[in-house]
Amino acid sequence: MGFSSITRSLGLILPFMSLTFAPASAQNRSINVDIDGDMWRMEREAEHCKERVGAATEFYEEEPLYNAARAANGDRFLVNKSAECWVELSIQGVDDVSFIFKVSQDGIVVDQRGLSWWGYKVFPYPTVPYEY
């Protein structure tokens, strides 16, 4: 087996290996978000937050930042070691930002922010709807 055939074989195997292992490592990666100097971990499963999705959705739908026909979906949460949580609402058809709502245990939205998916950076909640 010559050098060129080894190189050719590696050229075929390495891309396949990177495609095979990339999703596994991405699923196991923990996403941390800094909100006002406190670290919050993004989770899909947070039992103490699930009942708070309705309050966040209702708050958003009162004055939607995107066309009301775009559905808001709350399926991720920002949690820490406390009983507090942020509910993330992703908006149908919007790929680069979502909105997070800190909802108290009694179902009141006490804070709201935007979340850029480019580096998971938090920004102030917009004061006017997006135009499009």
Side-chain angles (χ1 to χ4, degrees):
M1 182 178 250
F3 182 73
S4 63
S5 63
I6 291 172
T7 306
R8 193 172 332 121
S9 295
L10 284 175
L12 295 173
I13 292 171
L14 290 176
F16 174 75
M17 287 177 60
S18 68
L19 291 173
T20 303
F21 293 115
S25 63
Q27 288 176 348
N28 295 328
R29 191 178 104 214
S30 178
I31 297 171
N32 292 313
V33 179
D34 182 325
I35 303 174
D36 300 333
D38 294 324
M39 292 308 288
W40 296 79
R41 188 179 67 257
M42 189 168 288
E43 297 282 338
R44 286 216 182 267
E45 297 296 324
E47 289 302 319
H48 70 287
C49 295
K50 286 185 178 182
E51 72 266 2
R52 302 178 196 192
V53 172
T57 304
E58 187 176 300
F59 183 93
Y60 175 80
E61 288 176 347
E62 284 179 17
E63 293 183 38
L65 295 171
Y66 287 94
N67 185 316
R70 293 178 182 240
N73 183 29
D75 64 349
R76 291 198 308 186
F77 310 98
L78 294 167
V79 298
N80 60 14
K81 294 181 193 248
S82 72
E84 297 180 313
C85 72
W86 291 83
V87 175
E88 179 192 30
L89 294 183
S90 56
I91 310 302
Q92 178 186 22
V94 179
D95 296 329
D96 54 353
V97 299
S98 58
F99 301 105
I100 55 175
F101 300 88
K102 190 173 190 181
V103 182
S104 67
Q105 289 179 321
D106 55 349
I108 298 171
V109 174
V110 295
D111 200 351
Q112 64 275 350
R113 310 282 177 94
L115 180 64
S116 169
W117 291 3
W118 294 97
Y120 294 97
K121 301 289 182 197
V122 174
F123 60 90
Y125 195 75
T127 56
V128 294
Y130 290 100
E131 306 248 348
Y132 65 97

